[in-house]
Amino acid sequence: MRALDVIPVLDALCPMHMVLSGTGHVTHAGATLCKLRPMQDLQNARFLELFEVQRPRGLTTMEDLRRVAGTRMHLQFRDTPKTGFKGILVPWQDGAVVNLSFGISILDAVRDYALTNADFAATDMTVEMLYLVEAKSAAMEASRKLNQRLQAARVAAEEQAYTDTLTGLKNRRALDHVLNRLGESGAPFALMHLDLDFFKSVNDTLGHAAGDRVLQKVARYLVDETREQDTVARVGGDEFVIVLPGLTDPARIESIARRIIDRLEKPIPFQGKMCRISCSIGTTRSDLYRRPDMARMMGDADVALYVSKRQGRARHTIYEPSPADTPPDPRPALQAAQK
Amino acid sequence: MHGLMNRAIECFVRDAYGDDRWADVARIAQLGFDGFEAMLRYETSLTWRVLDAITDVLGKPRNDVLEDIGTYLVSHPKTEALRRLLRFGGVDFVDFLHSLDDLPERARLAVDDLDLPRLELRDLSSNSFSLTVHADFAGFGHVMVGVLRAMADDYGALVMLDHSGDAGPIEVISIVLVETAYAEGRSFHLGAGAG
């Protein structure tokens, strides 16, 4: 078969082919290749001067090229735009035929050269690939937007949540809610503020995982040692508040606090090590106030807690109003009964 | 019904008639939420309720609404991505018509749980065709009439379209191509939407 006979076939099937002479010069190029570089630039230029063959390496002569016939080549234009190609070379007469395709550089190439469907062989999957790239980008964008909205909804839900995620106890938001409800009802209750002792050293010496484990155990103990109707909330890193409705008797409050302290002083095992903590508690009672103000009661429980800490930890203190404070209302029970 | 379809219906009302009209539709259809999520699935009955509500709110027959939705999908600036995806189907309008058989497969390549109705193109002569729509969702043929009308415009072709009327789950659209290059058409560059 003569060279001329095969060229129309190559033109129809491989719009990115080149015919090389025995000296490695381009004698003919397919239509799409001519769109990338004008024919006068291609014609009679040396193939290896037009293209840098990156793999296989070290090809410098036509003999080198013919030797790698049949293996996949990676190459790019030496001048800009330095479009990358995949290519394959087949010896032909005393020269060769090289066929190229864009490979992964296709997205840049269609833009750099304004390629159209007509620039690709009818059997080429490139246009399908471009379709897929766009279709997937559009679908991804829709999914990304959905994820963003879900994330925003999650943040909003967490802000509105009543549960502390680490311990499963109520959080501060829930506590405020409970206290407001109690305040409105006028029912008597005790407010216990509890702060762990030596928790920081557990965190520092055994790590945060141990710390988290301790907090979870403490949460369990607090729930165990209180009644169904009591509210146990985690209000800070190692701070808890317990609300005990219907309970104002100092002796009973003291016994509950004592039980909690004793329970928390039992070492908590974590990965073969023992975590030792304790706790200090300050309590105030609603019957100490003419009209229980939640912020003030929290503050007073905190004062009592501070007294416990100062006395050497593992203590419980019930708040004592100083004589300067408003004296207790003598008729709190009567008030509650009238409601 | 896939969220993409529901979302398309919603966007059509919002973009063509305004958010207030969509709020009316959502209320009448008792959606219980503001809008559809494109990547979730919904009960098909919900889609029917929405279409009924749109028919009420716009005071238009349902088939006209469906055709308008089809036109909107191709011609509105906000749906440019979809127009481009359809234009990948062919270099001219006839080429595009022949790509319709593959449309459900193409859609599944992009979104694997998106089930489009099976489409079947028959060449009756060099310039007349029929498109058979096998839809679970009766009325999809009217959406396709809108899509075809807008795509013909996009390619610059002049066509006459006729929906055979609602006949069960199979709808037939007859297509007569009057002129392939009637107008300029809109441009389409392969690389314009990538990356």
Side-chain angles (χ1 to χ4, degrees), chain A residues 107 110-111 115-117 120 127-128 130-132 134-136 139 142-143 146 149, chain B residues 37-40 81 84-85 88 90-91 106-107 109-111 188 190-191 193-194:
Chain A
L107 293 182
V110 284
R111 259 175 306 204
L115 300 175
T116 69
N117 298 43
F120 298 95
V127 175
E128 273 75 8
L130 291 172
Y131 161 81
L132 205 52
E134 275 196 51
K136 281 289 176 197
S143 289
L146 172 58
R149 277 193 292 273
Chain B
E37 283 294 347
M39 286 294 146
L40 299 179
R84 283 190 53 80
L85 292 179
F88 271 104
V91 287
R106 279 179 173 268
L109 275 180
V111 181
F188 175 71
L190 283 182

mmCIF file of all heavy atoms in Angstrom, chain A residues 107 110-111 115-117 120 127-128 130-132 134-136 139 142-143 146 149, chain B residues 37-40 81 84-85 88 90-91 106-107 109-111 188 190-191 193-194:
data_model
loop_
_atom_site.group_PDB
_atom_site.id
_atom_site.type_symbol
_atom_site.label_atom_id
_atom_site.label_comp_id
_atom_site.label_asym_id
_atom_site.label_seq_id
_atom_site.Cartn_x
_atom_site.Cartn_y
_atom_site.Cartn_z
ATOM 1 N N LEU A 107 -9.568 19.111 29.452
ATOM 2 C CA LEU A 107 -10.360 20.256 29.910
ATOM 3 C C LEU A 107 -9.698 21.568 29.517
ATOM 4 O O LEU A 107 -10.366 22.511 29.093
ATOM 5 C CB LEU A 107 -10.567 20.198 31.423
ATOM 6 C CG LEU A 107 -11.432 19.044 31.925
ATOM 7 C CD1 LEU A 107 -11.613 19.118 33.428
ATOM 8 C CD2 LEU A 107 -12.772 19.005 31.228
ATOM 9 N N VAL A 110 -9.854 21.909 25.357
ATOM 10 C CA VAL A 110 -11.075 22.370 24.696
ATOM 11 C C VAL A 110 -11.208 23.887 24.829
ATOM 12 O O VAL A 110 -11.728 24.555 23.943
ATOM 13 C CB VAL A 110 -12.371 21.689 25.212
ATOM 14 C CG1 VAL A 110 -12.490 20.291 24.676
ATOM 15 C CG2 VAL A 110 -12.464 21.727 26.699
ATOM 16 N N ARG A 111 -10.696 24.432 25.930
ATOM 17 C CA ARG A 111 -10.771 25.884 26.094
ATOM 18 C C ARG A 111 -9.692 26.593 25.286
ATOM 19 O O ARG A 111 -9.960 27.568 24.590
ATOM 20 C CB ARG A 111 -10.649 26.264 27.573
ATOM 21 C CG ARG A 111 -11.998 26.573 28.181
ATOM 22 C CD ARG A 111 -11.877 26.822 29.645
ATOM 23 N NE ARG A 111 -11.192 25.691 30.291
ATOM 24 C CZ ARG A 111 -11.340 25.400 31.579
ATOM 25 N NH1 ARG A 111 -12.117 26.137 32.328
ATOM 26 N NH2 ARG A 111 -10.714 24.376 32.102
ATOM 27 N N LEU A 115 -12.303 23.665 20.869
ATOM 28 C CA LEU A 115 -12.626 22.434 20.138
ATOM 29 C C LEU A 115 -14.128 22.198 20.131
ATOM 30 O O LEU A 115 -14.844 22.615 21.050
ATOM 31 C CB LEU A 115 -11.931 21.239 20.805
ATOM 32 C CG LEU A 115 -10.411 21.330 20.859
ATOM 33 C CD1 LEU A 115 -9.845 20.154 21.644
ATOM 34 C CD2 LEU A 115 -9.818 21.367 19.462
ATOM 35 N N THR A 116 -14.618 21.548 19.096
ATOM 36 C CA THR A 116 -16.041 21.192 19.014
ATOM 37 C C THR A 116 -16.162 19.685 18.799
ATOM 38 O O THR A 116 -15.151 18.992 18.600
ATOM 39 C CB THR A 116 -16.731 21.899 17.832
ATOM 40 O OG1 THR A 116 -16.223 21.329 16.617
ATOM 41 C CG2 THR A 116 -16.451 23.387 17.832
ATOM 42 N N ASN A 117 -17.407 19.197 18.832
ATOM 43 C CA ASN A 117 -17.646 17.763 18.599
ATOM 44 C C ASN A 117 -16.945 17.289 17.329
ATOM 45 O O ASN A 117 -16.428 16.174 17.266
ATOM 46 C CB ASN A 117 -19.138 17.492 18.402
ATOM 47 C CG ASN A 117 -19.953 17.850 19.607
ATOM 48 O OD1 ASN A 117 -19.720 18.897 20.206
ATOM 49 N ND2 ASN A 117 -20.897 17.006 19.975
ATOM 50 N N PHE A 120 -13.391 15.697 17.139
ATOM 51 C CA PHE A 120 -13.086 14.373 17.671
ATOM 52 C C PHE A 120 -13.620 13.300 16.742
ATOM 53 O O PHE A 120 -14.643 13.491 16.084
ATOM 54 C CB PHE A 120 -13.710 14.206 19.059
ATOM 55 C CG PHE A 120 -13.166 15.196 20.044
ATOM 56 C CD1 PHE A 120 -13.836 16.378 20.288
ATOM 57 C CD2 PHE A 120 -11.955 14.954 20.684
ATOM 58 C CE1 PHE A 120 -13.324 17.305 21.186
ATOM 59 C CE2 PHE A 120 -11.430 15.883 21.573
ATOM 60 C CZ PHE A 120 -12.118 17.064 21.820
ATOM 61 N N VAL A 127 -16.146 13.544 24.108
ATOM 62 C CA VAL A 127 -17.297 14.418 24.337
ATOM 63 C C VAL A 127 -18.160 13.853 25.460
ATOM 64 O O VAL A 127 -18.675 14.594 26.302
ATOM 65 C CB VAL A 127 -18.101 14.607 23.039
ATOM 66 C CG1 VAL A 127 -19.358 15.424 23.305
ATOM 67 C CG2 VAL A 127 -17.232 15.301 22.001
ATOM 68 N N GLU A 128 -18.288 12.522 25.518
ATOM 69 C CA GLU A 128 -19.034 11.898 26.615
ATOM 70 C C GLU A 128 -18.359 12.210 27.952
ATOM 71 O O GLU A 128 -19.007 12.448 28.956
ATOM 72 C CB GLU A 128 -19.125 10.383 26.425
ATOM 73 C CG GLU A 128 -20.288 9.931 25.581
ATOM 74 C CD GLU A 128 -20.088 10.191 24.102
ATOM 75 O OE1 GLU A 128 -18.970 10.587 23.703
ATOM 76 O OE2 GLU A 128 -21.055 10.014 23.336
ATOM 77 N N LEU A 130 -16.525 14.839 28.635
ATOM 78 C CA LEU A 130 -16.784 16.244 28.968
ATOM 79 C C LEU A 130 -18.193 16.411 29.534
ATOM 80 O O LEU A 130 -18.416 17.147 30.488
ATOM 81 C CB LEU A 130 -16.619 17.123 27.723
ATOM 82 C CG LEU A 130 -15.190 17.241 27.216
ATOM 83 C CD1 LEU A 130 -15.175 17.976 25.879
ATOM 84 C CD2 LEU A 130 -14.310 17.949 28.217
ATOM 85 N N TYR A 131 -19.125 15.682 28.900
ATOM 86 C CA TYR A 131 -20.501 15.704 29.403
ATOM 87 C C TYR A 131 -20.536 15.256 30.857
ATOM 88 O O TYR A 131 -21.149 15.889 31.717
ATOM 89 C CB TYR A 131 -21.376 14.776 28.545
ATOM 90 C CG TYR A 131 -22.658 14.371 29.219
ATOM 91 C CD1 TYR A 131 -23.760 15.220 29.212
ATOM 92 C CD2 TYR A 131 -22.750 13.161 29.892
ATOM 93 C CE1 TYR A 131 -24.926 14.865 29.852
ATOM 94 C CE2 TYR A 131 -23.906 12.801 30.545
ATOM 95 C CZ TYR A 131 -24.999 13.641 30.527
ATOM 96 O OH TYR A 131 -26.147 13.287 31.176
ATOM 97 N N LEU A 132 -19.818 14.165 31.114
ATOM 98 C CA LEU A 132 -19.835 13.585 32.449
ATOM 99 C C LEU A 132 -19.213 14.534 33.470
ATOM 100 O O LEU A 132 -19.717 14.672 34.592
ATOM 101 C CB LEU A 132 -19.069 12.260 32.416
ATOM 102 C CG LEU A 132 -19.441 11.255 33.484
ATOM 103 C CD1 LEU A 132 -20.932 11.028 33.495
ATOM 104 C CD2 LEU A 132 -18.691 9.961 33.251
ATOM 105 N N GLU A 134 -19.196 17.749 33.402
ATOM 106 C CA GLU A 134 -20.152 18.815 33.711
ATOM 107 C C GLU A 134 -21.324 18.302 34.519
ATOM 108 O O GLU A 134 -21.784 18.943 35.455
ATOM 109 C CB GLU A 134 -20.674 19.450 32.414
ATOM 110 C CG GLU A 134 -19.753 20.514 31.916
ATOM 111 C CD GLU A 134 -20.414 21.406 30.874
ATOM 112 O OE1 GLU A 134 -21.509 21.927 31.105
ATOM 113 O OE2 GLU A 134 -19.778 21.567 29.834
ATOM 114 N N ALA A 135 -21.818 17.127 34.116
ATOM 115 C CA ALA A 135 -22.979 16.578 34.815
ATOM 116 C C ALA A 135 -22.639 16.296 36.272
ATOM 117 O O ALA A 135 -23.404 16.615 37.179
ATOM 118 C CB ALA A 135 -23.452 15.311 34.116
ATOM 119 N N LYS A 136 -21.458 15.713 36.489
ATOM 120 C CA LYS A 136 -21.062 15.384 37.858
ATOM 121 C C LYS A 136 -20.820 16.654 38.674
ATOM 122 O O LYS A 136 -21.146 16.705 39.862
ATOM 123 C CB LYS A 136 -19.797 14.512 37.856
ATOM 124 C CG LYS A 136 -20.074 13.058 37.532
ATOM 125 C CD LYS A 136 -20.812 12.360 38.672
ATOM 126 C CE LYS A 136 -21.167 10.936 38.321
ATOM 127 N NZ LYS A 136 -22.199 10.373 39.211
ATOM 128 N N ALA A 139 -24.159 17.883 39.720
ATOM 129 C CA ALA A 139 -24.726 17.042 40.777
ATOM 130 C C ALA A 139 -24.000 17.267 42.101
ATOM 131 O O ALA A 139 -24.615 17.357 43.165
ATOM 132 C CB ALA A 139 -24.660 15.574 40.379
ATOM 133 N N ALA A 142 -25.135 20.431 43.720
ATOM 134 C CA ALA A 142 -26.431 20.266 44.391
ATOM 135 C C ALA A 142 -26.231 19.563 45.732
ATOM 136 O O ALA A 142 -26.825 19.954 46.744
ATOM 137 C CB ALA A 142 -27.392 19.488 43.497
ATOM 138 N N SER A 143 -25.370 18.533 45.746
ATOM 139 C CA SER A 143 -25.114 17.812 46.996
ATOM 140 C C SER A 143 -24.404 18.698 48.014
ATOM 141 O O SER A 143 -24.691 18.652 49.204
ATOM 142 C CB SER A 143 -24.250 16.585 46.737
ATOM 143 O OG SER A 143 -24.988 15.621 46.058
ATOM 144 N N LEU A 146 -26.836 20.949 49.624
ATOM 145 C CA LEU A 146 -27.648 20.217 50.596
ATOM 146 C C LEU A 146 -26.856 20.024 51.886
ATOM 147 O O LEU A 146 -27.360 20.244 52.985
ATOM 148 C CB LEU A 146 -28.073 18.861 50.018
ATOM 149 C CG LEU A 146 -28.770 17.905 50.982
ATOM 150 C CD1 LEU A 146 -30.031 18.531 51.565
ATOM 151 C CD2 LEU A 146 -29.127 16.600 50.290
ATOM 152 N N ARG A 149 -26.699 23.136 53.908
ATOM 153 C CA ARG A 149 -27.945 23.431 54.615
ATOM 154 C C ARG A 149 -28.129 22.486 55.803
ATOM 155 O O ARG A 149 -28.560 22.905 56.869
ATOM 156 C CB ARG A 149 -29.136 23.329 53.661
ATOM 157 C CG ARG A 149 -29.340 24.596 52.854
ATOM 158 C CD ARG A 149 -30.696 24.575 52.173
ATOM 159 N NE ARG A 149 -30.757 23.566 51.150
ATOM 160 C CZ ARG A 149 -30.366 23.763 49.897
ATOM 161 N NH1 ARG A 149 -29.894 24.926 49.527
ATOM 162 N NH2 ARG A 149 -30.445 22.802 49.017
ATOM 163 N N GLU B 37 -35.482 19.728 48.289
ATOM 164 C CA GLU B 37 -34.040 19.515 48.206
ATOM 165 C C GLU B 37 -33.767 18.703 46.950
ATOM 166 O O GLU B 37 -34.363 17.645 46.745
ATOM 167 C CB GLU B 37 -33.536 18.738 49.431
ATOM 168 C CG GLU B 37 -33.424 19.572 50.679
ATOM 169 C CD GLU B 37 -32.365 20.653 50.558
ATOM 170 O OE1 GLU B 37 -31.545 20.608 49.611
ATOM 171 O OE2 GLU B 37 -32.367 21.559 51.409
ATOM 172 N N ALA B 38 -32.834 19.182 46.125
ATOM 173 C CA ALA B 38 -32.589 18.549 44.837
ATOM 174 C C ALA B 38 -32.091 17.107 44.982
ATOM 175 O O ALA B 38 -32.317 16.278 44.113
ATOM 176 C CB ALA B 38 -31.581 19.368 44.043
ATOM 177 N N MET B 39 -31.407 16.794 46.069
ATOM 178 C CA MET B 39 -30.767 15.483 46.168
ATOM 179 C C MET B 39 -31.511 14.521 47.099
ATOM 180 O O MET B 39 -30.948 13.538 47.545
ATOM 181 C CB MET B 39 -29.314 15.650 46.616
ATOM 182 C CG MET B 39 -28.429 16.185 45.508
ATOM 183 S SD MET B 39 -28.279 14.987 44.144
ATOM 184 C CE MET B 39 -28.160 16.079 42.744
ATOM 185 N N LEU B 40 -32.759 14.817 47.392
ATOM 186 C CA LEU B 40 -33.555 13.888 48.195
ATOM 187 C C LEU B 40 -34.696 13.344 47.337
ATOM 188 O O LEU B 40 -34.966 13.859 46.260
ATOM 189 C CB LEU B 40 -34.116 14.598 49.429
ATOM 190 C CG LEU B 40 -33.092 15.162 50.404
ATOM 191 C CD1 LEU B 40 -33.793 15.842 51.558
ATOM 192 C CD2 LEU B 40 -32.162 14.075 50.920
ATOM 193 N N ALA B 81 -26.834 25.142 32.983
ATOM 194 C CA ALA B 81 -26.086 23.878 33.097
ATOM 195 C C ALA B 81 -26.841 22.746 32.400
ATOM 196 O O ALA B 81 -26.238 21.927 31.694
ATOM 197 C CB ALA B 81 -25.867 23.533 34.569
ATOM 198 N N ARG B 84 -26.678 23.028 28.607
ATOM 199 C CA ARG B 84 -25.386 22.557 28.113
ATOM 200 C C ARG B 84 -25.344 21.032 28.067
ATOM 201 O O ARG B 84 -24.871 20.446 27.099
ATOM 202 C CB ARG B 84 -24.254 23.089 28.993
ATOM 203 C CG ARG B 84 -23.911 24.549 28.737
ATOM 204 C CD ARG B 84 -22.634 24.964 29.455
ATOM 205 N NE ARG B 84 -21.511 24.073 29.151
ATOM 206 C CZ ARG B 84 -20.780 24.141 28.047
ATOM 207 N NH1 ARG B 84 -21.026 25.075 27.146
ATOM 208 N NH2 ARG B 84 -19.784 23.297 27.843
ATOM 209 N N LEU B 85 -25.851 20.401 29.123
ATOM 210 C CA LEU B 85 -25.818 18.937 29.151
ATOM 211 C C LEU B 85 -26.614 18.367 27.985
ATOM 212 O O LEU B 85 -26.201 17.397 27.354
ATOM 213 C CB LEU B 85 -26.356 18.411 30.485
ATOM 214 C CG LEU B 85 -25.463 18.719 31.694
ATOM 215 C CD1 LEU B 85 -26.095 18.183 32.968
ATOM 216 C CD2 LEU B 85 -24.073 18.136 31.518
ATOM 217 N N PHE B 88 -24.734 18.648 24.635
ATOM 218 C CA PHE B 88 -23.711 17.624 24.421
ATOM 219 C C PHE B 88 -24.255 16.482 23.566
ATOM 220 O O PHE B 88 -23.500 15.709 22.993
ATOM 221 C CB PHE B 88 -23.212 17.061 25.760
ATOM 222 C CG PHE B 88 -22.055 17.822 26.338
ATOM 223 C CD1 PHE B 88 -22.236 18.695 27.391
ATOM 224 C CD2 PHE B 88 -20.776 17.660 25.819
ATOM 225 C CE1 PHE B 88 -21.176 19.392 27.926
ATOM 226 C CE2 PHE B 88 -19.706 18.357 26.352
ATOM 227 C CZ PHE B 88 -19.908 19.231 27.407
ATOM 228 N N GLY B 90 -25.845 16.431 20.709
ATOM 229 C CA GLY B 90 -25.709 16.421 19.257
ATOM 230 C C GLY B 90 -25.199 17.738 18.709
ATOM 231 O O GLY B 90 -25.325 18.774 19.353
ATOM 232 N N VAL B 91 -24.641 17.674 17.486
ATOM 233 C CA VAL B 91 -24.083 18.888 16.872
ATOM 234 C C VAL B 91 -25.179 19.716 16.205
ATOM 235 O O VAL B 91 -25.036 20.917 16.029
ATOM 236 C CB VAL B 91 -22.980 18.560 15.835
ATOM 237 C CG1 VAL B 91 -21.723 18.114 16.550
ATOM 238 C CG2 VAL B 91 -23.446 17.497 14.862
ATOM 239 N N ARG B 106 -27.891 8.750 30.082
ATOM 240 C CA ARG B 106 -27.014 9.893 30.343
ATOM 241 C C ARG B 106 -27.324 10.519 31.700
ATOM 242 O O ARG B 106 -26.429 10.876 32.462
ATOM 243 C CB ARG B 106 -27.203 10.967 29.271
ATOM 244 C CG ARG B 106 -26.445 10.702 27.993
ATOM 245 C CD ARG B 106 -26.732 11.814 26.994
ATOM 246 N NE ARG B 106 -25.901 11.676 25.821
ATOM 247 C CZ ARG B 106 -24.717 12.273 25.679
ATOM 248 N NH1 ARG B 106 -24.265 13.072 26.608
ATOM 249 N NH2 ARG B 106 -23.999 12.076 24.599
ATOM 250 N N ALA B 107 -28.617 10.637 31.987
ATOM 251 C CA ALA B 107 -29.022 11.230 33.266
ATOM 252 C C ALA B 107 -28.522 10.365 34.416
ATOM 253 O O ALA B 107 -28.037 10.870 35.427
ATOM 254 C CB ALA B 107 -30.539 11.377 33.318
ATOM 255 N N LEU B 109 -25.915 8.488 34.459
ATOM 256 C CA LEU B 109 -24.472 8.649 34.626
ATOM 257 C C LEU B 109 -24.176 9.765 35.619
ATOM 258 O O LEU B 109 -23.226 9.698 36.391
ATOM 259 C CB LEU B 109 -23.813 9.001 33.285
ATOM 260 C CG LEU B 109 -23.433 7.861 32.362
ATOM 261 C CD1 LEU B 109 -22.805 8.420 31.100
ATOM 262 C CD2 LEU B 109 -22.442 6.924 33.049
ATOM 263 N N ALA B 110 -24.990 10.820 35.553
ATOM 264 C CA ALA B 110 -24.749 11.972 36.413
ATOM 265 C C ALA B 110 -25.321 11.759 37.811
ATOM 266 O O ALA B 110 -24.658 11.991 38.811
ATOM 267 C CB ALA B 110 -25.368 13.218 35.792
ATOM 268 N N VAL B 111 -26.557 11.286 37.877
ATOM 269 C CA VAL B 111 -27.242 11.099 39.167
ATOM 270 C C VAL B 111 -27.868 9.709 39.105
ATOM 271 O O VAL B 111 -28.863 9.501 38.429
ATOM 272 C CB VAL B 111 -28.348 12.164 39.359
ATOM 273 C CG1 VAL B 111 -29.035 11.978 40.701
ATOM 274 C CG2 VAL B 111 -27.776 13.562 39.235
ATOM 275 N N PHE B 188 -22.485 27.164 21.541
ATOM 276 C CA PHE B 188 -22.155 26.085 22.473
ATOM 277 C C PHE B 188 -20.684 25.732 22.322
ATOM 278 O O PHE B 188 -20.255 25.265 21.274
ATOM 279 C CB PHE B 188 -23.018 24.849 22.186
ATOM 280 C CG PHE B 188 -22.651 23.660 23.030
ATOM 281 C CD1 PHE B 188 -22.948 23.644 24.382
ATOM 282 C CD2 PHE B 188 -21.992 22.579 22.485
ATOM 283 C CE1 PHE B 188 -22.604 22.562 25.174
ATOM 284 C CE2 PHE B 188 -21.640 21.486 23.268
ATOM 285 C CZ PHE B 188 -21.956 21.490 24.617
ATOM 286 N N LEU B 190 -17.611 23.453 23.856
ATOM 287 C CA LEU B 190 -17.437 22.264 24.701
ATOM 288 C C LEU B 190 -16.856 22.617 26.061
ATOM 289 O O LEU B 190 -17.263 22.087 27.079
ATOM 290 C CB LEU B 190 -16.484 21.262 24.018
ATOM 291 C CG LEU B 190 -17.056 20.413 22.882
ATOM 292 C CD1 LEU B 190 -15.980 19.469 22.375
ATOM 293 C CD2 LEU B 190 -18.268 19.627 23.352
ATOM 294 N N GLY B 191 -15.878 23.517 26.050
ATOM 295 C CA GLY B 191 -15.126 23.758 27.287
ATOM 296 C C GLY B 191 -15.713 24.833 28.171
ATOM 297 O O GLY B 191 -15.213 25.078 29.258
ATOM 298 N N GLY B 193 -18.236 25.168 30.081
ATOM 299 C CA GLY B 193 -18.803 24.892 31.404
ATOM 300 C C GLY B 193 -17.888 24.086 32.296
ATOM 301 O O GLY B 193 -18.164 23.900 33.466
ATOM 302 N N ALA B 194 -16.778 23.574 31.754
ATOM 303 C CA ALA B 194 -15.939 22.669 32.526
ATOM 304 C C ALA B 194 -15.098 23.427 33.540
ATOM 305 O O ALA B 194 -14.712 24.559 33.324
ATOM 306 C CB ALA B 194 -15.037 21.865 31.597
#
